[in-house]
Amino acid sequence: MSYGTSLADMYRQVGVYSGRILKGAKPADLPVQQPARFNLVINTAAAKALGLTIPESFLLRADEVIE
C-alpha cells in the first residue's frame, strides 16, 4: 500500500507558488502550503503473496488497485 500526496496536485501548487514569486511576491510573505489531495494505491498481488487480506472498504476507497 502507498498513501501520499497527489503528484499532479503538488506540481500545480508549485506552479501557483512560482507564479506568485515571479509576479514580485516575497517568498517569506507567502503562506505555507499543505497538500489537499492524497492518493491511496493498493497492490493486491503483493498482499496475496504476503498472505494479507485487504478489507473491501480499502479497495473501494483506493485511487488505484494493482492486481
Side-chain angles (χ1 to χ4, degrees), residues 7-25:
L7 289 178
D9 191 51
M10 185 176 63
Y11 291 140
R12 184 191 63 77
Q13 286 181 349
V14 167
V16 171
Y17 232 62
S18 299
R20 288 180 180 177
I21 292 170
L22 290 174
K23 288 181 181 178

Side-chain angles (χ1 to χ4, degrees), residues 4-61:
T5 60
S6 168
L7 289 178
D9 191 51
M10 185 176 63
Y11 291 140
R12 184 191 63 77
Q13 286 181 349
V14 167
V16 171
Y17 232 62
S18 299
R20 288 180 180 177
I21 292 170
L22 290 174
K23 288 181 181 178
K26 294 181 182 178
D29 295 336
L30 295 175
V32 174
Q33 297 288 323
Q34 294 183 355
R37 293 195 53 192
F38 294 88
N39 287 339
L40 173 63
V41 179
I42 299 173
N43 187 333
T44 56
K48 286 179 186 177
L50 295 170
L52 301 174
T53 304
I54 305 295
E56 188 70 25
S57 61
F58 273 63
L59 296 174
L60 294 173
R61 292 180 182 172

